[in-house]
Amino acid sequence: MKIAVVAPSNTLKREAADRVEAITAARGDCELFIHPQCFLSEGHFAGNDGERLSALREVMADPSVDAVWFARGGYGSNRIAEAAAAGLPGAARSKVFMGYSDTGFLLAAFHKAGLKVAHGPMPQDVVRDGGEAAVNRALDWLIGRDPASLDPQLEQPAMAFNLTVLSTLLGTPLEPDFDGVELLIEEIGEHHYRIDRLMFHVTSSPNIRKVARIRLGRASDIPENDPEFGSDEQAIVADWCGRAGIELGRPADIGHDSGNKVVPFARFPE
Amino acid sequence: MKIAVVAPSNTLKREAADRVEAITAARGDCELFIHPQCFLSEGHFAGNDGERLSALREVMADPSVDAVWFARGGYGSNRIAEAAAAGLPGAARSKVFMGYSDTGFLLAAFHKAGLKVAHGPMPQDVVRDGGEAAVNRALDWLIGRDPASLDPQLEQPAMAFNLTVLSTLLGTPLEPDFDGVELLIEEIGEHHYRIDRLMFHVTSSPNIRKVARIRLGRASDIPENDPEFGSDEQAIVADWCGRAGIELGRPADIGHDSGNKVVPFARFPE
């Protein structure tokens, strides 16, 4: 089992890479290849668009690689997602791709292109409190498809996205078909009024209105609204689901934290 | 000439209302009616959705009102825009509606419904440095259609939007037809990486790709990007216009400031 790590958004911290390498060495059940592109830095990004795309396409085309694990989020995978999903090498079809947050743009594009993707913890998560558990949860699923890594309430087919990422991929070539899908969403660092605006946008989409249901994960680090918004994220999501005639499902066990569970987009077991 | 002020988003400051009333009294060329709804407060908003919608519909249906002037932005007009534009009273068609920022949701919905709208300064702007000039510019256009109030480079038909508002109205029932339109955009308080993400979203839209050109106004109060993003808002907009095959026009004289010029959506003179 060979897992390749590339960074389509921001630069991976060396400390995080070292700690994840120590975890995989101790497990002894996989070979981890952290692509040197992960440590590049150009402005906001882990290298320029060409460098990030090239590293991603390299591991996608490598038949020895079983899984491609996105190093971290931040911002930038949207800038290369359409090109990354075009003219796919045959070897890409035998792999699974995992990430979340900003790398949701790639999950969407790759899922739409027929590849196997999953929303789940990334190497950079190791630096969080309890981050080793998150990394091991991701590895347990990548290596052994461990059902204990999944949201226990998951009904498939499912998809999971950061809410801002979801809003900004609608109407782009990356937008997948949401028909009948259980849609899990999570957010970080957005004011309640922004969550409300994003929910207005997302639930107004005719494509999103075809989902089986929406389930809200954790919305963390919400800045203070001035004045107080008047309702919390659960009420906001319930309000917009109600207006749009979308079923609101149970809370989802995903978020920008070490408890973040794995959500495979395809039915599981495959 | 009677101008009615309502607040479809946030509460109007009493100080701003007093100062605008003093300006119109000194001008003596219009009657200003500041609807009491402007001073309501419920959570984030100038009253709940029903109260904001009701005040707006009341002045839309009033045949004695010649212009409806949105008091200020903030957040919330999207929550009532679809209902506000449905089943229009005949009296709405003889009026012009003006605002910008969050009230862009209403500009879009009303323009799509065939009403006359313009992007321009609002009463709350009076509290800005130089805000009296902004208010008088808006009044000069509302009362006399003064061409000096307009962006001097404007080529019509045109539309103008806050970039975040534009992004979150795409794909909703509020989205107008952008075919052949000169599209002016402006932004406030968003990081460069967010402006980049918004431009990715907006320029990926097939509808937006039909514009005659995009012109960037001012992007103000941009928080520091950590790390430095690597390009500024002009370069970001040029990059995404280039990728999308959209012509980039000259800088636009609009923004969240007292220099904000008027942009009528219909051809001018009407």
Side-chain angles (χ1 to χ4, degrees):
Chain A
M1 177 75 192
K2 182 173 173 183
I3 301 170
V5 179
V6 292
S9 312
N10 289 28
T11 307
L12 179 62
K13 302 283 188 207
R14 183 71 65 171
E15 175 208 352
D18 291 346
R19 288 176 60 181
V20 173
E21 281 180 331
I23 290 170
T24 53
R27 291 174 63 107
D29 58 357
C30 66
E31 177 191 350
L32 189 74
F33 166 62
I34 299 183
H35 196 291
Q37 173 270 324
C38 291
F39 305 108
L40 296 181
S41 177
E42 179 156 327
H44 189 98
F45 309 104
N48 64 35
D49 290 353
E51 290 165 330
R52 301 196 318 284
L53 178 60
S54 170
L56 174 53
R57 294 288 297 199
E58 179 190 325
V59 297
M60 288 169 76
D62 183 344
S64 77
V65 169
D66 302 292
V68 176
W69 199 14
F70 302 132
R72 66 174 299 188
Y75 170 69
S77 78
N78 60 318
R79 298 179 55 90
I80 60 170
E82 192 176 357
L88 288 172
R93 303 202 178 273
S94 59
K95 307 182 200 320
V96 65
F97 298 82
M98 183 186 280
Y100 73 107
S101 190
D102 182 71
T103 67
F105 290 111
L106 286 168
L107 300 184
F110 285 3
H111 174 72
K112 188 175 181 179
L115 302 185
K116 284 177 277 190
V117 308
H119 184 276
M122 298 183 287
Q124 178 76 25
D125 285 314
V126 77
V127 302
R128 297 186 189 278
D129 276 353
E132 294 210 356
V135 162
N136 275 307
R137 185 182 312 118
L139 290 168
D140 289 345
W141 191 82
L142 287 173
I143 296 162
R145 299 291 188 272
D146 184 354
S149 296
L150 306 184
D151 177 303
Q153 310 281 358
L154 198 65
E155 290 191 37
Q156 297 180 307
M159 295 188 197
F161 288 103
N162 172 269
L163 182 57
T164 297
V165 167
L166 178 61
S167 168
T168 45
L169 67 77
L170 294 179
T172 77
L174 315 181
E175 180 178 343
D177 182 3
F178 290 101
D179 192 17
V181 164
E182 170 160 300
L183 176 60
L184 285 67
I185 55 176
E186 61 85 36
E187 191 50 280
I188 183 168
E190 301 290 348
H191 291 80
H192 277 131
Y193 83 88
R194 287 176 180 255
I195 293 175
D196 198 75
R197 188 166 57 198
L198 291 165
M199 285 305 300
F200 154 76
H201 183 234
V202 163
T203 60
S204 294
S205 155
N207 187 8
I208 293 284
R209 288 187 177 191
K210 296 188 297 176
V211 298
R213 70 196 61 81
I214 284 177
R215 294 176 56 202
L216 175 62
R218 289 173 289 280
S220 52
D221 296 349
I222 297 177
E224 204 171 325
N225 215 83
D226 179 26
E228 186 74 27
F229 186 70
S231 60
D232 63 15
E233 60 271 24
Q234 285 85 11
I236 290 168
V237 171
D239 176 31
W240 287 107
C241 284
R243 289 180 182 224
I246 296 171
E247 178 187 329
L248 177 62
R250 293 187 242 204
D253 197 6
I254 63 168
H256 272 71
D257 52 48
S258 59
N260 189 26
K261 297 298 190 296
V262 173
V263 179
F265 282 23
R267 288 179 190 278
F268 173 81
E270 288 149 12
Chain B
M1 175 78 192
K2 182 174 175 184
I3 301 171
V5 178
V6 292
S9 313
N10 289 28
T11 308
L12 179 62
K13 301 284 186 205
R14 183 70 64 171
E15 175 209 352
D18 292 346
R19 288 177 60 181
V20 172
E21 281 180 331
I23 290 171
T24 54
R27 290 175 62 108
D29 57 357
C30 66
E31 178 191 350
L32 189 74
F33 167 62
I34 299 182
H35 196 292
Q37 173 270 325
C38 290
F39 305 109
L40 296 181
S41 177
E42 178 155 329
H44 189 97
F45 309 104
N48 63 34
D49 290 353
E51 289 165 329
R52 302 196 318 285
L53 178 61
S54 169
L56 175 54
R57 293 289 298 200
E58 177 190 326
V59 297
M60 288 169 76
D62 183 344
S64 78
V65 169
D66 303 293
V68 176
W69 199 13
F70 302 132
R72 67 174 298 188
Y75 171 70
S77 78
N78 61 317
R79 298 178 55 90
I80 60 170
E82 192 176 358
L88 288 172
R93 303 200 179 273
S94 59
K95 308 181 199 324
V96 65
F97 298 82
M98 184 186 279
Y100 73 107
S101 191
D102 181 72
T103 67
F105 290 111
L106 285 168
L107 300 183
F110 285 3
H111 174 72
K112 188 175 182 179
L115 302 184
K116 285 177 277 191
V117 308
H119 185 276
M122 298 183 288
Q124 177 77 25
D125 285 314
V126 77
V127 302
R128 297 186 188 279
D129 276 352
E132 294 210 358
V135 163
N136 275 307
R137 185 182 313 118
L139 290 168
D140 289 346
W141 191 81
L142 287 173
I143 297 162
R145 300 290 189 271
D146 185 352
S149 296
L150 307 183
D151 176 303
Q153 311 282 357
L154 198 64
E155 289 191 39
Q156 296 181 308
M159 296 187 195
F161 288 103
N162 172 268
L163 182 56
T164 297
V165 168
L166 177 61
S167 168
T168 44
L169 68 77
L170 294 180
T172 77
L174 315 181
E175 180 178 343
D177 182 2
F178 290 101
D179 192 15
V181 164
E182 170 161 299
L183 177 60
L184 285 66
I185 55 175
E186 60 85 37
E187 191 50 281
I188 184 169
E190 302 290 348
H191 291 80
H192 277 131
Y193 83 88
R194 287 176 179 254
I195 293 175
D196 197 75
R197 188 166 56 198
L198 290 165
M199 286 303 301
F200 154 75
H201 183 236
V202 163
T203 60
S204 294
S205 155
N207 187 8
I208 293 283
R209 289 188 177 190
K210 296 187 298 176
V211 298
R213 70 195 63 79
I214 285 177
R215 294 176 56 202
L216 174 63
R218 289 173 289 281
S220 52
D221 295 350
I222 298 177
E224 204 170 325
N225 216 83
D226 180 24
E228 185 73 28
F229 186 70
S231 60
D232 63 15
E233 59 272 24
Q234 285 84 12
I236 289 168
V237 171
D239 176 30
W240 287 106
C241 284
R243 288 181 182 223
I246 297 172
E247 178 187 327
L248 177 63
R250 293 186 242 206
D253 196 6
I254 63 168
H256 273 71
D257 52 48
S258 59
N260 189 25
K261 297 298 190 296
V262 173
V263 179
F265 281 22
R267 288 178 189 277
F268 174 79
E270 288 149 12

